[in-house]
Each structure stands twice: as structure tokens, then as C-alpha cells.
Amino acid sequence: MKRLVLVDGNSIMNRAFYGIMGSKMLMTEEGTYTNAVYGFLAILFKILDDLEPEYLAVAFDLKAPTARHKMYEGYKANRHGMPDELASQMPIIKEVLKDMNITIIEKEGYEADDVLGTLSKRGEKEGLEVTILSGDRDTFQLTSDHIIVRIPRTKAGKTEVEDFDKNKIKEVYGLEPIQLIEVKGLQGDTSDNIPGVPGIGEKTALSLIQTYGSIEKIYEELEQGKAETIKGKTREKMLENKDLAFLSKTLGTINLEVPIEQTMEDLKLKEWDKPKVYEEFKKLRFHRYIERFSLTGEENKETNNTNKETQTFERKEISVISQEMQEVLQQVKQEGKLFYYLDKVEEKENEKRIHKKIVSFSLLLKNIVYDSNIENENALQVLKEIMEDEKVQKVGYHLREDYVLLKEQNIVMQNLYFDIEIAAYLLSPTTNQYQLKSLMNQYLGIDIDEILAEKGISQDENKQMNLFEINNTVATDAKKEERSLLVYQMENLEKTLKEKLEEANALTLFHDIEMPLVEVLAKMQYNGMYLDKEELISFGEELKTQLEKLTTEIYELAGEEFNINSTQQLGTILFEKLKLTTSKKTKKGYSTDVDTLEKIKREHPIVEKILEYRSLMKLNSTYVEGMLPYVNKKTERIHSYFHQTVTATGRISSTEPNLQNIPTRFELGKRLRKVFKPKEGYIFIDADYSQIELRILAHISQDEHMLQAFKNGEDIHKQAASKVLGIPIEEVTKEQRSAAKAVNFGIVYGISDFGLAEQLGISRKQAKQYIEQYLEKYSGIQAFMNDIVEKAKEQGYVETLFHRRRYLPELKSNNYMVRQFGARAAMNTPIQGTAADIMKLAMVNLNKKLKETNLDAKIVLQVHDELILEVKIEEKEQAKEILKNCMENAIHLSVPLEVEVSEASNWYEAK
């Protein structure tokens, strides 16, 4: 029997968008999101493969109001608008379907469900087996002997389906499909804002319809004084809301009589317009679909052939300590390039930290993947010669982690040439999706999981066994096959990413800054910082004493004891008992967040005490008790992870623990730095860039006043106050300088009059006037801000001085707030990103210089514009000179870079 497939376009796009958002937030090179389109097509192709239908149509909703909106004003009134990232993909999927010659039906005044209902019944009458593809269970009412509803679920990029036919509906609900309309009439639907009978939920509604069959029958029985099973409040609610019940039933009934011009013949599947589909898929970077449907053009034949080789390469399992491996490694040396992959398992280091252990080594050589288990430390030592060979370029994934794990085995990696993760980050710094399998899917169109499935290899085995057998050495067949595919494709992926980096003018940034930085950050993690554990514990005891004192003071001011950490109890004390100013009370109670408390802290001394209490509580829990588990038992040092693929602007970030985020705005927070010390016989050398972002702004904007201030060594904040207020620079007060400083640092980040007013405690009118006067005096900055946003709109991205690129699709958003964010990012990125690049380059140059001079010095920490060395005391002066020189000469701008250098016996005293 012939088949008809009907697709609920909006529903499937919505499912695909959220199903793929976490694992594959795909986008084009111009920054257009494509994940929903990709997922929609994956779901569509699956049903086409499964059912092989002769007829197909996709129904979409239109924005115009329907008959239901006219019938009931509140219909769908509580629905949030479609996210811009999804809305922007709707025209794209329609264009793709059009090029595939698939019929699209949109009918003004009707919903997609009505179109699906009408066509499904028409198809059934014409003797077709009908499948409705929808994520909306409202369509269950349409099921019959020849109509099935298929519900897809997209999870981690994989599509699963569940079919509902007439019998399954009876089994699940105990009703005929058509009776589900009756259930909705009673229960209502919050997503569509269909009211139903207030107080009647799904369980009661199902029970009533199972007993009486229909809403009409229920009211017939009720009005005749029967319906004995309907009692008490349920009976009351039913009688009071009869009109709502019938209205809701009408609203929930799918219209089966939509005037659709298209015939079944129009819905017949046709040949695609392959050239157009190919161009669309190419633009959308859907390489997997191009390959799957043999759409590749002549100019792309080489890539296509390469991709088809994924299943034909040879894999050899050999021992690391075998003679054959020695011969393979010698050939790699001759090639001068090592494509490799280290597989690891996780081991719990302590309650906070996970340590990894290398358990296998795979490498690619001339179309053969050699795969070896690392059974002991001796086996790993065999790799020492190749890993430490400076002439062999290392190509891999997440090389920082590899460097550290190998260093722990006394293997010091050399010539870290190409890290796939870093390359992908430079090409798309805002996605935060750089898993190796995802990158192969995105850039090569290769779905590793799909290939494994085609080979009959289950991924479930991997998940159940955590990728390895109990002894942590023998991998499952699936894992062996997976890592072989990953290693094999590294060569293709490196080639593709390198081409993309060249197109983006980012190869120099990649090879001269980012790749050398991998080694620097790996060394910083390995080196760590010594932490005086006893002093930290003592500091924690001091905090607890102060917290006890504060608690007593807060209770006295409140006139009673209460749970200070309870938002509800605190709100009651502040706003009901003490009658302090509050915003409107919500269902959850009063807001007691920092912003709320800051606004009322002058109304009562208790507020200041509560703010201080919270600061000390966080300091103790996050940075004292929270930091202790991270102290390595062997080294007595904190070994933070330093990341270079997290921030959109290129800044380095730190985790486990985050040493860059230790609070410094109040003295007790700063004192926490005292517990970080150099080892005996060594000293900390600390260097900090002076106003680097403002200096970069002066260079990029070429504003004459800013350039003059930095070239002449003037106080930039005093100069700003002088210019804006029209007073001599020597008459500028401390308060005026502070206000100018807030504008200087805030202006380029798009600070608003509201934000400045809040910060300075002045009116919005005064703040607006201050900003306008500032931009009038510093016209070069005003021009830069305007020009950079316009340029970003035009080309879709902004760049730093080192060509670090950030795409800004937000500038095209329909949402004003999203567009404003995009504008701020356009102004901010060239400044903050260039500052990050300069710091990275300084670190790279410093690492190189320390190697050359053989100084007993290590980089142990980088925090924004600050760099810390741990140096042998006898060599501190030479280290100071090298550090200052590397930082100040990382780049030559129109204004000088200045670095303040200090020395100290702990981090607190370093500045």
C-alpha cells in the first residue's frame, strides 16, 4: 500500500532546535545558526528511509490569527515568542525544502494541525497509509486504522521515534483517539492557553471520559440529576464552567475541512533540484548530507573521496614495546609529523578533582592506524623518544592535557604543532562546542557514531563500561574502532582547519601565539602554586569567629534570632518587621539579592552587616573550605587548569579552582592571597600592565587627547575629568577623577546612562550628560565606537589587532536587547581581545626567554593583566628585567605599554 507522510514543520523545527542545541549549536561561517535545520533534515531523512513514502507534505503555521484566536481572545496568549536563533532558521528550512521539491502548505486562518488533519483524512479516504510526523500530542486525536502519529526525540544529535496508532492510544489512555478531544475540553491546555474546567486535571478528565464517553453525555447526566460518580467540588466545578468546557473542546478539535487546493498528485515526491540543494548544503556546511546524497560538485570531489575512505582504512593492534612499533616510530620520524591520539580513563584524585590515566596510544601512518594499549609505565616510556623529538610536529587534540600527563611520566613533549581544539576555537570562539567527534561532523561531514552504527558496533557498550573494561586497560571493540576513526581523520581535519584559518587570516595568530601558549599553560598547571595549608585553615577559623560576631550583631539589630541564610526569613525581618523599602512581593517572597540590599543599605545598619556576612560566608565556603581539597597531597601545591578555549574575547580562564576570581575588593578577600607562597629559597616576581585596555583604545581610535595623555605620561583619568568638566587638570578632585575613571573604563563597553548613574550614585540625567560631554571631547573614541559597530554589521564579525575574529550574529537579531549586546561586544572585543593577545604573546616570549637563559624561574599564574613568576632569589633581578622586557615589547603601539614590577614573599604582598 502506498504511503503519505505529513510533517508538522514548526513542531519538528522546535524539537530539532532544542535537541541539537546542547551538542551541536551549528552555524555558518557568517554566524547564522543552522542546528534546527540540520536536525529537521535528520528527522525527515530517517522517516523517508524507514517508510519510503510516495507522497510528502510539510505544514507550517503562519503568524496571522486563526479562527481559534477570533473565538477566544486568550488562545495561545501566554506563549513566548520563538527564540531569534530559531526564528532565523525558518526561512532557511523552507528554502531547502523548496529546492528539494517538497510541498510546503501554509494556510492563512488555519494552523498546521488543521492542515495535517485535513490531509490525513483525505489520504486515508484515497487508500493511503498515513504517518503524521509531529512532536505535538494533540495530533493523537487523528489516529485511526490507517493513520499513525510518529513522535521524534532528538537527543545529543541522535533521533529516536515512537509510533502511536489507534491501538496504542487505547492502550495508553483507555479511550478512542477521537475522545482525546473530550479530555482536552475538560483538562484544558496550558501551552495553548485553552482554559478547560478550572481544577480538573488530566487524571480526573480521563476518568470522566472513560466513564461517560463525552462532555455532552456528562452534562446530560448532570442536568438530569444523575452522574452519581461526579461528586463534591468536581460536580460544582463542572456545573459552574459548562461554557468553558464546550469552548475548550471546540478550541482543541482539529479542523478536518480546511480548503486545501493541492491534490495528492501535487504531494508526490519528486527529484530534487540537486545543484540548488548542493549549494544550500554547502553554504550551511552540511558536508555529511552532501556526501550522503552524492551531491558533491567537481571542485569538491577530492574531499568527498577522502570522506568515503573513512571505512576502508586499515587498523593494526600492536604492542608499544614491539619491534614493529619501533619501526613505525622511525618512519614517523622520517615523515616529521605525528598524528596521534591518547585515550584516558578517569581516576578520582579526591572529592573535588579527577585525575586521568593514559591507557592507549594510537597513531596514523600512511593510511594505517596503529593502536596500542599502555599496560604500564614502561610501555609509555617507549614513546619518550618520539614525543621529545623537536623535529617531529605533533598533531592531536587537547594537547595541554597530553603535555601534563606525559610530563608526569617524565616525558616532555616538544614541537606542539597543531591542536585541533584550539584551531576550532579560533574559527568559532562563541560556540563552546569543540568535542572531536562534533568537529569531524561539522568540518568533514563525518558522523563517527553513525559510521559505527553502520558497522553494527553499539555505543551502549561504551557507556555501560565507561569506555573500558574493569581493568582499565582493554578497550571495548567500539572504543577501539572509534579512536581509530578519530586518528585516521585527524589528517583531513588538520588540512581543513588550516585552510579555514588561512581564509580567516588567523594562521599567524594560531602558530605564533595560541600553539606556543599550549605549552605555557600546561607548564603552569604542572608547576602549580604552593599553598600554606595551615595558614589557610587558620584564616578560615578567623572568618568563622567574625561570622559568629556578625551573627550576634544582626540578631541584636533584628530584635530576634532567625536564619540569615533563608531568603524568606530575611525578607520578613527586613520588609515586614523593620519596614524597609522593598519592591513588590512575589509568590516566592521578597527579593534579598545584592542589588536589592545595596539600594537600601543606608536605611538601616542591619543591611550593611548582612552584606558583610554574605561576603565572609562566600569567602569561607568557596575559597577556604572550597580550596582545601584542591591542594595536591604530594606537591602541597594548587594545580589549576588554565583554559584558552572558553572566553569569546580570547582571555585565559582558570578552573579547579579559579584563582583568577579571588575577591580583591575588600581586605579580607585580598588577605586570602597571603596563603600562596613561593617555595623556600625562591621569591614571587609580579608584573602588571598599567591601563592596557585604555592604551589599546588610544591606539585603535587614534583619539588625539588619549594619545597625548599616554605619550606625555599624564594621568588619563585626571585628563578626562579636566576635559569633560572644563577645569585645569591640577584642580581635579579625587571624586572627579573617580567619576572620570568610571567613564573611561565603561565607555568602550557600552556603559549606559543608567549603569553609570548606578555606579556613581547620580541621576540618569547627569550620567547621560557626562557621557555626551565625554564623547564630544574624545571624538576619536566616538568615531571608533560608531565605525566598529557598523563594520561588524556589514561583515558579520570584529577582529583584534592580531586578527582574532568574533562573529556577531546578535547584531541581526529582531530582539533589541540582543542587538544591544551585539553592539557592546563589537566595541569590547577589539579592545579586550587585543589585551588578551598581548598578554598571551608576552607569556610565549617569556617562556622562550626563560628556556634560553636557563633561569631557575617558572610562570605560576596569570590573572587578567597580571603575571607571576616563581624565581630563585639569587636570580630575581635578571628575571625582573626579562619579565618587564617581554611584557612591554610584546607589541609596539602608538603609545607605550607600561608594566609595574614588584617582588614579594607571598602573592598578597606582590602589589
Side-chain angles (χ1 to χ4, degrees), residues 33-164:
Y33 291 108
T34 60
N35 62 314
V37 178
Y38 186 92
F40 180 101
L41 292 174
I43 294 168
L44 177 64
F45 294 151
K46 180 170 176 56
I47 202 170
L48 291 175
D49 286 345
D50 289 350
L51 302 180
E52 297 182 355
E54 286 77 13
Y55 305 93
L56 175 68
V58 181
F60 286 101
D61 290 323
L62 290 172
K63 285 186 179 179
T66 67
R68 292 180 183 85
H69 290 93
K70 294 170 184 174
M71 189 185 304
Y72 177 55
E73 195 176 336
Y75 183 65
K76 292 190 177 181
N78 59 357
R79 278 212 177 173
H80 296 294
M82 191 182 289
D84 292 327
E85 294 84 357
L86 172 57
S88 64
Q89 297 183 61
M90 297 303 288
I92 298 172
I93 190 60
K94 290 177 185 178
E95 190 61 35
V96 170
L97 292 172
K98 181 181 170 187
D99 291 340
M100 291 167 70
N101 287 320
I102 291 172
T103 304
I104 296 173
I105 301 177
E106 300 169 301
K107 199 73 181 170
E108 191 168 331
Y110 301 93
E111 294 180 45
D113 280 357
D114 300 323
V115 173
L116 298 173
T118 301
L119 288 175
S120 66
K121 295 301 178 183
R122 191 188 292 180
E124 185 180 35
K125 283 179 186 175
E126 295 188 25
L128 302 176
E129 290 293 324
V130 182
T131 297
I132 298 170
L133 184 63
S134 174
D136 188 350
R137 291 172 182 260
D138 289 347
T139 54
F140 285 175
Q141 63 184 265
L142 300 172
T143 56
S144 69
D145 290 331
H146 300 287
I147 300 173
I148 289 172
V149 172
R150 174 168 286 193
I151 301 287
R153 295 184 184 86
T154 305
K155 191 174 181 182
K158 292 293 162 191
T159 301
E160 301 168 354
V161 295
E162 187 175 5
D163 287 340
F164 287 82

Side-chain angles (χ1 to χ4, degrees), residues 281-382:
F281 284 177
K282 186 179 174 185
K283 185 170 67 177
L284 297 170
R285 305 208 294 192
F286 292 171
H287 305 298
R288 181 65 180 166
Y289 294 153
I290 288 174
E291 178 196 350
R292 178 175 173 179
F293 298 106
S294 302
L295 298 173
T296 313
E298 288 297 315
E299 71 280 9
N300 210 32
K301 190 174 284 184
E302 185 182 339
T303 304
N304 187 51
N305 290 338
T306 301
N307 290 344
K308 287 188 177 179
E309 290 170 10
T310 55
Q311 300 180 53
T312 61
F313 71 91
E314 184 180 353
R315 180 170 72 84
K316 278 190 176 184
E317 287 190 46
I318 61 174
S319 169
V320 179
I321 58 177
S322 67
Q323 181 60 36
E324 187 176 3
M325 178 59 85
Q326 291 295 333
E327 291 168 5
V328 168
L329 293 178
Q330 285 306 312
Q331 288 184 64
V332 170
K333 281 190 167 192
Q334 290 171 18
E335 295 281 335
K337 203 168 197 177
L338 173 65
F339 294 93
Y340 81 96
Y341 184 77
L342 295 180
D343 218 338
K344 306 118 184 172
V345 288
E346 294 182 346
E347 300 177 321
K348 199 167 184 180
E349 189 175 294
N350 56 43
E351 61 184 274
K352 286 273 190 177
R353 186 127 170 169
I354 297 295
H355 185 264
K356 291 186 178 180
K357 174 186 174 184
I358 300 169
V359 290
S360 79
F361 170 74
S362 305
L363 67 88
L364 174 67
L365 180 67
K366 295 179 179 177
N367 217 40
I368 301 174
V369 174
Y370 294 91
D371 195 12
S372 305
N373 289 321
I374 304 295
E375 296 169 357
N376 50 49
E377 291 180 10
N378 291 334
L380 201 54
Q381 285 299 314
V382 173

Side-chain angles (χ1 to χ4, degrees), residues 740-791:
K741 183 177 179 180
V743 180
N744 262 332
F745 283 118
I747 201 76
V748 76
Y749 303 116
I751 195 169
S752 63
D753 49 10
F754 176 79
L756 185 63
E758 288 278 300
Q759 194 171 335
L760 299 180
I762 58 177
S763 70
R764 285 185 68 174
K765 185 178 179 182
Q766 287 175 297
K768 185 179 181 183
Q769 186 179 10
Y770 205 128
I771 291 171
E772 287 172 353
Q773 289 172 336
Y774 178 95
L775 293 175
E776 186 182 332
K777 296 295 182 183
Y778 291 87
S779 56
I781 295 173
Q782 174 77 82
F784 157 73
M785 290 166 65
N786 293 337
D787 292 347
I788 198 69
V789 173
E790 287 307 309
K791 191 176 179 182

Side-chain angles (χ1 to χ4, degrees), residues 154-188:
T154 305
K155 191 174 181 182
K158 292 293 162 191
T159 301
E160 301 168 354
V161 295
E162 187 175 5
D163 287 340
F164 287 82
D165 58 12
K166 182 179 178 180
N167 292 330
K168 188 160 185 177
I169 297 298
K170 286 181 180 179
E171 182 187 322
V172 173
Y173 297 100
L175 297 170
E176 293 289 331
I178 196 75
Q179 289 180 295
L180 293 178
I181 302 170
E182 314 290 337
V183 174
K184 178 165 275 198
L186 298 179
Q187 169 191 344

Side-chain angles (χ1 to χ4, degrees), residues 511-695:
H511 283 302
D512 291 357
I513 298 181
E514 292 293 347
M515 281 313 303
L517 186 71
V518 174
E519 180 186 322
V520 180
L521 298 184
K523 282 182 176 179
M524 285 168 59
Q525 178 185 326
Y526 184 81
N527 294 335
M529 285 183 88
Y530 170 73
L531 184 144
D532 189 326
K533 202 170 178 180
E534 295 307 315
E535 191 169 327
L536 183 62
I537 292 169
S538 175
F539 181 61
E541 293 302 322
E542 183 183 332
L543 288 177
K544 287 174 186 174
T545 300
Q546 291 205 39
L547 281 165
E548 287 172 9
K549 183 186 174 192
L550 272 171
T551 302
T552 302
E553 290 173 350
I554 290 168
Y555 289 163
E556 286 175 359
L557 289 166
E560 64 179 273
E561 292 189 8
F562 65 100
N563 184 352
I564 302 169
N565 298 311
S566 164
T567 299
Q568 192 173 9
Q569 290 184 38
L570 178 60
T572 302
I573 293 290
L574 295 179
F575 305 118
E576 292 184 8
K577 184 174 183 180
L578 299 178
K579 307 293 184 185
L580 303 185
T581 306
T582 179
S583 53
K584 190 177 178 182
K585 185 178 181 181
T586 66
K587 288 180 182 178
K588 294 180 180 179
Y590 298 101
S591 170
T592 62
D593 60 16
V594 174
D595 288 342
T596 301
L597 297 184
E598 284 287 346
K599 287 175 185 174
I600 60 170
K601 68 180 179 182
R602 292 183 179 85
E603 293 185 20
H604 198 286
I606 194 174
V607 182
E608 193 76 62
K609 298 287 183 186
I610 290 164
L611 286 168
E612 188 181 351
Y613 174 90
R614 284 184 177 176
S615 296
L616 297 191
M617 278 290 287
K618 183 175 182 182
L619 196 60
N620 186 54
S621 60
T622 305
Y623 297 105
V624 177
E625 294 173 359
M627 198 125 62
L628 282 169
Y630 288 115
V631 181
N632 187 286
K633 290 177 182 177
K634 292 179 184 176
T635 66
E636 297 185 320
R637 296 169 84 91
I638 291 269
H639 298 271
S640 283
Y641 296 118
F642 295 95
H643 309 280
Q644 61 190 112
T645 62
V646 174
T647 66
T649 58
R651 281 195 170 203
I652 296 164
S653 62
S654 160
T655 60
E656 297 188 41
N658 182 358
L659 295 181
Q660 297 179 327
N661 205 33
I662 292 175
T664 57
R665 290 188 178 181
F666 60 105
E667 181 58 26
L668 274 174
K670 286 181 185 176
R671 273 188 53 199
L672 188 63
R673 292 185 168 197
K674 281 188 177 181
V675 302
F676 292 95
K677 302 173 181 179
K679 65 182 178 181
E680 194 173 337
Y682 288 72
I683 195 166
F684 280 155
I685 306 294
D686 181 288
D688 196 358
Y689 278 116
S690 171
Q691 301 172 334
I692 187 171
E693 292 186 357
L694 291 178
R695 292 171 190 272

Side-chain angles (χ1 to χ4, degrees), residues 721 732-741 760 770:
V732 173
T733 65
K734 185 179 178 181
E735 291 73 24
Q736 289 168 336
R737 183 186 182 278
S738 294
K741 183 177 179 180
L760 299 180
Y770 205 128

